[in-house]
Amino acid sequence: MTEIHLLPLEEPDREQFIKDNQEAFRYGALEEFGLRDDHFEEEDEIISRSTIEQSINEGTAYRIVQNGKNVGGAVIKTEYDHGELELLFVSPAVHSKGIGYAAWCEIEDMHPEVTVWETITPYFEKRNIHFYVNRCGFHIVEYFSEHHCDPDDKDGKMADMFRFEKVLPVSSEAVQEQIKRVKYYEDIMQKAQDMDNVSPELHEMLKKLRDYYVSDAWKRDFSSDEAGLLPKELKRGVLSQDGIYDLLEKYDM
């Protein structure tokens, strides 16, 4: 496999990281559509500076380094057993040399606790779609359009995007993250059950429980419990079929 290193992005390199990311994305669009293209987020750019900066600020950014030279970059976010590949780009000058795949393998190795990875890419990025599906083992699970919008997409930036998922076997590290998550929501549920008066604090607790109850994360935790992967002594009322539901019904949530 191609040898690369992932090094944390340093602040002095932030500006060049943004420019390199934009160059890589611009190359992909121009390769597909030529100079006449209407897919730009901002003038002459497929991906805007604000989008990249938001990803860097909210995630963990890395430089892809080969032989001492920056050849790309990546931004990821992880929470418990779930990961998001926010950005992954390789300099057009070194395309088709296995650098992107090597970087992805390194990311997976860095986070054995993650069992579900997600990413998105525009419908026209054939190189990316091939890379994620045929090389990295992702599956296309959703397509966002005017008829099927991401409920969290307030600005319409997700239109014409594919969403990909890669599901990995549950590792011992993943189980530990699931235990942490179950404990977190179990604590919230216990506190909510002990409160007598409706308050903004209670409403916020119930919202967190509702979001968890309808999430894929709850389904993964429930499946692990059914498979006997969670310790018997773990308090798990939050995983019962009626625990959260009855609490939400009580307050008409």
Side-chain angles (χ1 to χ4, degrees):
M1 183 183 294
T2 303
E3 184 175 350
I4 58 93
H5 299 284
L6 290 181
L7 301 180
L9 177 66
E10 297 181 353
E11 188 60 32
D13 187 33
R14 183 184 177 109
E15 180 64 23
Q16 190 60 50
F17 181 97
I18 294 172
K19 291 180 179 179
D20 290 349
N21 191 171
Q22 289 182 318
E23 178 194 17
F25 278 45
R26 187 167 61 246
Y27 178 88
L30 296 181
E31 185 179 47
E32 179 65 24
F33 296 107
L35 293 176
R36 297 182 62 185
D37 181 60
D38 60 357
H39 296 79
F40 297 117
E41 280 193 6
E42 63 183 31
E43 186 176 359
D44 295 332
E45 298 297 349
I46 286 292
I47 185 169
S48 68
R49 169 179 291 273
S50 62
T51 297
I52 300 171
E53 289 185 330
Q54 182 178 355
S55 294
I56 295 173
N57 292 339
E58 296 179 357
T60 304
Y62 296 94
R63 268 298 194 178
I64 305 172
V65 179
Q66 184 183 48
N67 298 326
K69 296 182 179 180
N70 293 332
V71 293
V75 180
I76 63 172
K77 288 196 300 187
T78 62
E79 183 179 28
Y80 298 113
D81 62 343
H82 180 265
E84 295 182 27
L85 178 60
E86 292 282 302
L87 296 170
L88 177 61
F89 66 92
V90 174
S91 170
V94 291
H95 274 179
S96 302
K97 297 183 183 297
I99 291 172
Y101 180 67
W104 171 247
C105 290
E106 182 70 15
I107 290 170
E108 280 195 6
D109 289 344
M110 288 166 57
H111 292 280
E113 80 282 5
V114 174
T115 59
V116 178
W117 284 99
E118 288 190 33
T119 194
I120 59 171
T121 203
Y123 77 94
F124 57 82
E125 282 282 9
K126 295 179 181 178
R127 179 187 293 272
N128 283 358
I129 295 170
H130 161 74
F131 172 74
Y132 289 127
V133 174
N134 299 327
R135 290 287 285 150
C136 299
F138 281 80
H139 294 275
I140 296 173
V141 295
E142 204 164 10
Y143 173 63
F144 297 114
S145 69
E146 60 180 322
H147 305 294
H148 179 74
C149 303
D150 182 343
D152 296 324
D153 180 26
K154 307 303 181 184
D155 302 320
K157 291 183 178 181
M158 295 287 287
D160 292 327
M161 290 279 195
F162 285 113
R163 184 171 71 86
F164 302 79
E165 277 189 1
K166 182 174 184 178
V167 180
L168 298 166
V170 178
S171 63
S172 58
E173 293 89 350
V175 170
Q176 292 305 310
E177 293 301 312
Q178 290 180 322
I179 291 171
K180 291 178 186 177
R181 181 168 55 217
V182 171
K183 287 181 176 179
Y184 173 76
Y185 286 105
E186 182 73 14
D187 182 61
I188 291 177
M189 189 171 77
Q190 291 299 322
K191 289 179 179 178
Q193 289 174 335
D194 292 340
M195 297 181 73
D196 296 325
N197 299 321
V198 177
S199 65
E201 182 184 7
L202 176 60
H203 186 271
E204 184 62 27
M205 288 181 178
L206 294 175
K207 183 178 182 300
K208 287 182 178 180
L209 289 171
R210 181 188 62 196
D211 291 346
Y212 173 56
Y213 187 56
V214 299
S215 70
D216 289 338
W218 186 90
K219 295 176 184 176
R220 293 197 300 275
D221 294 343
F222 180 80
S223 294
S224 290
D225 191 30
E226 289 287 287
L229 298 178
L230 303 184
K232 293 181 179 179
E233 65 273 14
L234 179 68
K235 292 183 178 180
R236 49 169 51 75
V238 75
L239 295 181
S240 69
Q241 293 287 357
D242 300 325
I244 297 179
Y245 180 83
D246 289 346
L247 186 59
L248 296 176
E249 280 287 294
K250 178 180 178 180
Y251 292 99
D252 195 27
M253 286 288 289

